[in-house]
Amino acid sequence: MQINASQLYFILEHTPAEQNIMLVGKHGIGKSRILEDFFAGRGEKVVTLFLGQMSDPGDLIGLPHLDEAAGRTDFMLPYWFPKDGKPVVLFLDELNRARPEVLQTVMDLTLNRKLAGKSLPVGSRIISAVNGGNEYQLTELDPALVSRFNIYEFAPSVEDWLNWARSASIDSRIISFISSNPEYLDSDSASLDSENAGLTPSPDRRSWERTSKIISSFEVLDSDLLSLVAGIIGMQAAGLFFRFINDNSLPSAKSLLCEGEKKNLNLLENLSLPKLCLVNESLFHFIEGASWTSDKSLEKSRIAENLEAYFDFITEKLPKEVSAHFISLCSAKKTPETLNFITENRPSLYRKLLASVSDL
């Protein structure tokens, strides 16, 4: 069963704690992030164990020691085992990279919620993640172990990531690039140079996040920065990304909304329709991301005023398709934060949008 991010949230919400979940998918697609965010929002602790890094069962169940009073050998609790009696979400990452002897320990854990005779607190959950594909070095899982999980192939959509990227304040240039080139969000391992397979950087959701943290402090993406970014997402993706940003020469969302100078609007008249649509989208990404709210020098009223001035300009000066595209972006489903921003801070613009919809 293949699921996207919203379906995963539904599954996490409605699966009983005593039923185990297994997520199958590529690396770097956000499995652990979604789990941590979801359960943190419910006040539940997530304990992540990388089973592929464990050399023997003792790394999971703890080390044996002599209980002299009882005259027997017992196991010391591992560092992660909850001592407060509160349930935990145990995330077993890299399950199919674990050594066979570690997997034998997992058998009892998934069936009885016990490790070396010690029970997890009532209400604890067990969720595992495995990689699927011939490009990974994997351990074959015992069918008896697999049968103890509800299994889902996790394949988050590009729109899932774009929605997350806006809320996480990922650099708007990356969001615009992925919106236009969704095939570069996740790499196709089959396309890698066979001589350097496994050593060639390639784009995925993690690498784009790392790229964002680096380029966010650079207004201009130059050749020196290209070399740096190529080591994160690969030369092919980096080259296309830099050409996309530099060749478009688009006015930034910040210049249009925060500076609001007439010269910035005049730049729009020489752009093609696809580029104008990118400008529209960049404005919505900017407001949706809400990173600007931490800058006390930026006022909501000024941004709202400039957004209305932008809409007036494209309505009066540019082809009708540009304003129609702008209106199509105003959706409670697609851009809820922007729609709320307009209704709360610029009712006059909201009325214009409603009037324009009726004229389309």
Side-chain angles (χ1 to χ4, degrees):
M1 172 65 185
Q2 191 174 89
I3 59 171
N4 58 27
S6 61
Q7 290 170 318
L8 176 55
Y9 282 123
F10 183 87
I11 289 168
L12 295 176
E13 180 72 37
H14 296 283
T15 299
E18 65 272 13
Q19 294 187 21
N20 307 315
I21 294 173
M22 179 185 292
L23 301 178
V24 183
K26 295 177 60 177
H27 67 281
I29 58 174
K31 298 186 290 293
S32 58
R33 180 183 294 277
I34 285 182
L35 293 177
E36 290 170 1
D37 290 347
F38 176 82
F39 288 108
R42 298 179 9 152
E44 298 181 47
K45 181 180 179 181
V46 177
V47 176
T48 301
L49 300 176
F50 295 98
L51 300 190
Q53 299 176 11
M54 295 182 175
S55 59
D56 62 60
D59 293 336
L60 180 61
I61 65 176
L63 298 176
H65 74 103
L66 176 61
D67 185 343
E68 295 183 359
R72 65 184 182 185
T73 299
D74 199 355
F75 281 84
M76 298 177 64
L77 290 174
Y79 73 94
W80 58 265
F81 200 93
K83 296 181 179 180
D84 56 6
K86 295 182 180 179
V88 296
V89 179
L90 197 56
F91 179 42
L92 307 178
D93 204 1
E94 303 178 341
L95 182 68
N96 59 342
R97 292 175 183 266
R99 299 168 67 91
E101 54 268 30
V102 174
L103 290 176
Q104 290 301 315
T105 303
V106 174
M107 294 279 281
D108 190 32
L109 179 64
T110 54
L111 182 63
N112 301 312
R113 294 295 195 274
K114 288 184 177 181
L115 277 177
K118 298 179 177 64
S119 298
L120 290 175
V122 175
S124 293
R125 298 174 180 271
I126 296 177
I127 301 175
S128 71
V130 301
N131 296 131
N134 296 326
E135 67 269 32
Y136 303 107
Q137 296 180 353
L138 305 175
T139 302
E140 186 175 355
L141 296 178
D142 190 312
L145 176 60
V146 173
S147 68
R148 297 173 187 181
F149 289 90
N150 302 342
I151 303 173
Y152 306 95
E153 181 182 354
F154 182 48
S157 67
V158 174
E159 192 59 37
D160 287 335
W161 185 85
L162 290 173
N163 289 334
W164 170 82
R166 295 179 190 116
S167 66
S169 300
I170 296 297
D171 191 284
S172 61
R173 292 169 292 188
I174 292 178
I175 294 176
S176 295
F177 174 73
I178 297 300
S179 295
S180 300
N181 302 273
E183 68 275 16
Y184 278 88
L185 176 58
D186 298 300
S187 65
D188 179 3
S189 59
S191 67
L192 296 178
D193 185 345
S194 59
E195 295 183 2
N196 297 310
L199 298 177
T200 303
S202 56
D204 61 30
R205 295 161 199 241
R206 290 176 185 163
S207 62
W208 282 117
E209 183 178 1
R210 297 201 305 273
T211 299
S212 175
K213 291 179 180 179
I214 289 176
I215 71 171
S216 59
S217 59
F218 292 87
E219 188 70 25
V220 177
L221 305 185
D222 59 19
S223 57
D224 289 336
L225 198 59
L226 172 61
S227 299
L228 193 162
V229 171
I232 305 173
I233 59 175
M235 181 54 74
Q236 181 180 357
L240 182 62
F241 172 57
F242 274 55
R243 286 195 300 273
F244 175 87
I245 298 302
N246 294 325
D247 292 350
N248 279 309
S249 300
L250 305 177
S252 68
K254 188 173 183 179
S255 68
L256 291 167
L257 294 177
C258 302
E259 298 171 10
E261 296 181 9
K262 185 69 174 177
K263 64 179 181 180
N264 293 325
L265 291 173
N266 291 337
L267 292 173
L268 301 173
E269 295 190 84
N270 298 318
L271 298 179
S272 65
L273 180 59
K275 292 181 179 179
L276 289 167
C277 290
L278 286 176
V279 174
N280 281 345
E281 292 170 3
S282 72
L283 301 185
F284 283 81
H285 296 332
F286 183 86
I287 296 175
E288 286 292 311
S291 59
W292 54 272
T293 56
S294 60
D295 189 339
K296 296 182 179 180
S297 67
L298 303 179
E299 299 179 358
K300 285 185 178 182
S301 59
R302 178 167 175 75
I303 291 177
E305 178 184 352
N306 290 334
L307 184 62
E308 182 171 12
Y310 173 86
F311 181 75
D312 290 342
F313 182 88
I314 64 174
T315 301
E316 297 169 5
K317 301 288 187 178
L318 301 179
K320 187 175 181 180
E321 291 83 356
V322 182
S323 56
H325 177 258
F326 184 99
I327 295 168
S328 71
L329 296 174
C330 294
S331 163
K333 183 177 182 180
K334 293 181 180 179
T335 54
E337 296 301 324
T338 305
L339 192 59
N340 289 337
F341 176 83
I342 292 172
T343 56
E344 293 175 3
N345 299 282
R346 207 68 181 177
S348 56
L349 174 57
Y350 184 68
R351 290 193 290 272
K352 290 177 183 179
L353 293 171
L354 291 177
S356 298
V357 169
S358 62
D359 292 339
L360 291 178

